[in-house]
Amino acid sequence: VEALAPWLVARELAQELPEEAMEDAAAPVHEADPDNLLRLIEAGEWARVSSRAQSRLMLQPDSNGRIALHYAMRHGMSVEHFELLVAAHPAGCRARDKHGRIPLHLAMKHCASLACVEVLLNAYAEGCEVADEYGNLPLHLAMQFRAPAEVVIAVLRASPAAAAAPD
């Protein structure tokens, strides 16, 4: 019976969902989303991503251990939509990918706006002291990838000790 449960649920949902949504019924959670959350993020469809802010898909990691917040930093999500995601899932700010990076690391690597960085710092200022698997703090990545000076200053204000940490 347990083996049939997904099929039965999919069959019931088939009456409610468009046909293209059913094509991914057996796919991993990100791909099971009818509009594919990660594709929406990569395409910059921020309004559609934000409409799913309460979805459990936001915290579902992909094969690299990344969740929606990681991808939002990588693809330059607007601060308005980013605030909605963080407000809905503040624990996502602590989520580590397979390299031990939290969204703040990717914000530094991809030179996110000061506004987005401040949203992350307000949700998880301790993230400034989280090292990835290579020993890099977010500040190290900010310097390496030449983040704007105001972003570097915001990280230093949140964690003055980060300046003394070896890279």
Side-chain angles (χ1 to χ4, degrees), residues 6-159:
W7 179 81
L8 291 172
V9 170
R11 187 172 141 207
E12 289 296 315
L13 289 175
Q15 297 172 4
E16 301 170 23
L17 295 175
E19 187 174 317
E20 61 271 11
M22 292 312 300
E23 293 173 4
D24 293 330
V29 176
H30 277 309
E31 294 161 15
D33 181 5
D35 293 320
N36 195 317
L37 179 62
L38 295 181
R39 253 188 301 197
L40 292 174
I41 291 171
E42 290 172 352
E45 296 278 346
W46 305 129
R48 292 175 70 195
V49 170
S50 295
S51 71
R52 291 160 179 76
Q54 298 296 330
S55 170
R56 64 183 170 78
L57 296 174
M58 293 295 169
L59 294 176
Q60 180 67 35
D62 68 4
S63 60
N64 291 313
R66 292 184 178 156
I67 63 169
L69 290 178
H70 288 102
Y71 283 97
M73 290 296 81
R74 184 175 178 193
H75 295 285
M77 181 179 248
S78 71
V79 68
E80 297 81 14
H81 294 111
F82 188 66
E83 285 175 326
L84 290 172
L85 295 184
V86 172
H89 301 287
C93 296
R94 294 173 169 79
R96 291 177 178 254
D97 68 11
K98 73 177 187 178
H99 298 292
R101 293 181 179 152
I102 59 174
L104 186 58
H105 284 101
L106 294 182
M108 300 300 110
K109 182 176 179 182
H110 297 287
C111 297
S113 70
L114 174 61
C116 283
V117 169
E118 287 176 337
V119 169
L120 289 170
L121 293 175
N122 288 334
Y124 183 49
E126 299 85 359
C128 291
E129 298 169 12
V130 173
D132 65 13
E133 74 175 343
Y134 307 106
N136 292 316
L137 298 178
L139 179 63
H140 299 144
L141 295 178
M143 301 305 291
Q144 180 182 354
F145 292 97
R146 298 187 175 120
E150 62 267 14
V151 168
V152 173
I153 291 168
V155 171
L156 286 170
R157 282 189 180 138
S159 177

